[in-house]
Amino acid sequence: MTLTCRLASREDIPALLPMIDAAIIELQRGFLDADQIRSSRAIMGLDTQLIDDGTYFVVESDGELAGCGGWSRRATLYGGNHSAGRDAALLNPDTEPARIRAMYTHPAFTRRGVGSLVLARCEQAAAAEGFTALELMGTLAGAPLYQAAGFEPIEEVADDSGGAPVPLIRMHKKI
């Protein structure tokens, strides 16, 4: 299996949305109950600002969509286009961490290096813009990947804006 990684474009959105939904539903089983998974669908998703900013990646395996994810130089920590409280303010790379955002792996491609590839590309791109740290809001399902990549937990929270409270872990990494 050969993975390729490229910047996403708006033309990718119709393929990304069902893959993201499948990842939210299927990969959180065993970590969240059915109500929390439904709530996750309301608070997570694609933020097209990342695509427009040129900071969102698509991973493919032999032409098949395997995953996606990106980073941001903007203040929003997590959430999709539909999420409340988004903040498009630009971060200061000298004093603030870049954000890792909207990481999703197609359920058929888990544990094959998709997430690690996206994280490496994000870290490289953020460092090239002068950022010295990264921050993310991880799900319980995603936390093992992030910890393996050197992120450390700094805060546990629960987001109940979608209904049932969804446990999340804010994580940080120096680069």
Side-chain angles (χ1 to χ4, degrees), residues 49-129:
Q49 181 70 60
L50 301 172
I51 294 173
D52 295 343
D53 285 347
T55 61
Y56 203 66
F57 300 101
V58 169
V59 176
E60 296 170 319
S61 174
D62 301 319
E64 244 186 292
L65 182 59
C68 56
W71 71 280
S72 183
R73 58 182 75 87
R74 298 183 184 274
T76 299
L77 184 57
Y78 71 101
N81 286 346
H82 57 279
S83 300
R86 293 174 48 197
D87 184 352
L90 292 173
L91 300 168
N92 180 344
D94 294 330
T95 59
E96 298 173 294
R99 312 301 196 211
I100 298 296
R101 302 276 318 277
M103 298 274 300
Y104 300 100
T105 299
H106 188 291
F109 289 93
T110 58
R111 304 207 189 304
R112 296 185 187 185
V114 173
S116 296
L117 176 58
V118 171
L119 286 173
R121 291 289 297 269
C122 291
E123 184 173 328
Q124 181 181 42
E129 288 199 19

Side-chain angles (χ1 to χ4, degrees), residues 14-31:
L16 290 172
L17 293 177
M19 191 273 305
I20 289 169
D21 201 43
I24 292 170
I25 293 168
E26 294 184 35
L27 301 182
Q28 293 192 99
R29 290 185 185 142
F31 295 93

Side-chain angles (χ1 to χ4, degrees), residues 2 4 16 26 39 48 86 102 118 120 125 132-133 135 145 148-149:
T2 302
T4 58
L16 290 172
E26 294 184 35
S39 186
T48 53
R86 293 174 48 197
V118 171
T132 60
E135 189 169 288
L145 166 69

